[in-house]
Amino acid sequence: MAHRDDSEWLTLGQAARFLGVAQSTIRKWSDQGRVPAFYTPGGHRRYRRSDLETFVERSGPVGKSKEGPLILLVDDDEKVRELVRVNLEFEGYVVREAGSADEGLAAIEEAKPDLILLDVMMPHVDGWEMLRRVQERYGAGVIPVVMFSGKVDEQAQALAASSGAHAFVGKPFDLQHLIAQTKQTVPV
């Protein structure tokens, strides 16, 4: 195997691919001081390959996330998906995103997730219909589902319970509550 130059610098995108995480995740880790970064005069981050290799050795494979449970996050709001994904990846989960129920159903066909985090209010096919289709195809309770919605009332919570959802979380949700619910449902 060829020796790598310790001074080999990677861009944010290259470093994220090297570690197998999203760019927002490595950005967060460098902001926290977990991964050393060099900032160019233009404000771009660069990462030394040897620093990334040391990070992986020290913290166990970031691949911990590669080996972690697969979460399918279905929400039409891109900002919500990014916020939830970054935080779940930080906890050791692998997160796959879908911006609609149809994308979510297609993602399940490719790789069955350990948990689905599902927004109720989406255009075209809503979360309730997606939940029904998942249960019809795979069986009720086979894939645990945590529903979340901006419309929180007793009726919505009762519908979630009677529809076979594992839990129901209101939006805007307390991110720590959603993470705790995820960990309770599918431990890392």
Side-chain angles (χ1 to χ4, degrees), residues 82-103:
E82 180 179 7
L83 175 69
V84 173
R85 177 184 43 76
V86 166
N87 283 278
L88 288 174
E89 285 177 345
F90 187 74
E91 295 291 333
Y93 292 94
V94 175
V95 181
R96 179 138 190 221
E97 296 180 45
S100 69
D102 289 334
E103 284 180 27

Side-chain angles (χ1 to χ4, degrees), residues 44-186:
H44 300 284
R45 299 165 201 240
R46 296 292 182 263
Y47 300 88
R48 188 176 290 141
R49 180 181 295 272
S50 59
D51 289 340
L52 297 177
E53 290 169 347
T54 301
F55 173 74
V56 169
E57 289 169 14
R58 195 178 61 234
S59 58
V62 183
K64 161 185 163 190
S65 64
K66 289 181 185 167
E67 302 301 321
L70 176 61
I71 308 295
L72 175 61
L73 173 59
V74 185
D75 192 320
D76 60 319
D77 186 330
E78 189 176 337
K79 287 183 168 72
V80 169
R81 288 196 319 264
E82 180 179 7
L83 175 69
V84 173
R85 177 184 43 76
V86 166
N87 283 278
L88 288 174
E89 285 177 345
F90 187 74
E91 295 291 333
Y93 292 94
V94 175
V95 181
R96 179 138 190 221
E97 296 180 45
S100 69
D102 289 334
E103 284 180 27
L105 292 166
I108 295 169
E109 291 294 319
E110 291 175 24
K112 192 172 113 190
D114 297 297
L115 172 69
I116 301 171
L117 298 177
L118 180 58
D119 185 22
V120 170
M121 306 294 286
M122 292 186 293
H124 309 297
V125 178
D126 69 12
W128 300 118
E129 177 62 18
M130 180 176 168
L131 176 62
R132 187 190 67 70
R133 291 182 188 178
V134 167
Q135 292 174 340
E136 189 176 86
R137 172 120 176 128
Y138 300 98
V142 172
I143 304 172
V145 177
V146 173
M147 307 287 293
F148 53 90
S149 176
K151 182 181 178 192
V152 182
D153 56 29
E154 288 182 24
Q155 183 180 2
Q157 291 178 326
L159 181 57
S162 68
S163 297
H166 187 80
F168 185 89
V169 178
K171 271 170 88 178
F173 43 74
D174 173 350
L175 189 56
Q176 294 311 312
H177 177 68
L178 184 66
I179 290 170
Q181 188 67 55
T182 300
K183 286 179 172 179
Q184 182 180 352
T185 308
V186 183

